[in-house]
């Protein structure tokens, strides 16, 4: 399934309080970036916004009932560190910008480790 254009437009509008982000289509989905660090995504499932998670913010996502993106590939279950963002967070641009800031920091730390 391709990304739902209406949902993409909605998410971009809700990110109005997030400075200096870019987005691009990739692998049937959309990635959201600060610089070259990808902090968010709408995966090929089309209408679920996800943010990058590590040990620093995972408890918040778990408490909200979120889960990581998972898919089957070549007969193996594969998960990615992008967790669903609760709709009440997406609906609140201020709260969403707070969650995005933490996710962007996670993504930037991961980028630095790779270098």
């Amino acid at each position: 399934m391709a990304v739902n254009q209406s949902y993409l437009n909605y998410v971009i509008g809700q990110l109005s309080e997030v400075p200096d982000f870019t987005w691009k289509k990739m692998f049937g989905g959309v990635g959201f970036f600060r610089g070259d660090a990808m902090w968010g995504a709408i995966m090929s499932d089309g209408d679920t916004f996800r943010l990058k998670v590590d040990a620093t913010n995972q408890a918040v996502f778990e408490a909200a009932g979120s889960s990581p993106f998972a898919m089957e590939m070549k007969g193996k279950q594969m998960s990615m560190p992008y967790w669903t963002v609760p709709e009440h967070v997406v609906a609140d641009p201020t709260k969403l910008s707070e969650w995005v800031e933490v996710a962007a920091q996670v993504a930037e730390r991961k980028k630095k480790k790779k270098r």
Side-chain angles (χ1 to χ4, degrees):
M1 172 190 259
V3 171
N4 177 322
Q5 188 64 44
S6 295
Y7 186 71
L8 173 61
N9 293 341
Y10 168 68
V11 169
I12 291 170
Q14 294 305 102
L15 293 169
S16 63
E17 294 185 22
V18 176
D20 303 324
F21 78 91
T22 60
W23 64 273
K24 67 179 176 180
K25 292 183 178 184
M26 51 193 298
F27 308 113
V30 173
F32 294 85
F33 298 81
R34 180 159 71 189
D36 64 349
M38 188 169 127
W39 50 259
I42 300 174
M43 305 295 195
S44 58
D45 56 2
D47 60 358
T48 304
F49 187 51
R50 301 174 190 277
L51 292 175
K52 188 134 188 165
V53 172
D54 71 2
T56 63
N57 60 347
Q58 184 172 333
V60 173
F61 282 80
E62 287 174 343
S66 298
S67 58
F69 178 75
M71 62 185 248
E72 190 172 314
M73 190 171 188
K74 297 183 181 178
K76 294 182 180 181
Q77 191 67 14
M78 182 180 115
S79 65
M80 296 175 71
Y82 293 90
W83 290 50
T84 57
V85 181
E87 182 51 40
H88 73 274
V89 174
V90 178
D92 180 341
T94 300
K95 181 166 281 303
L96 181 58
S97 70
E98 294 167 3
W99 283 46
V100 165
E101 179 57 32
V102 175
Q105 291 172 11
V106 168
E108 290 165 349
R109 276 194 305 276
K110 296 281 185 192
K111 275 285 194 194
K112 286 180 184 177
K113 281 185 180 180
K114 285 184 179 180
R115 292 180 189 156

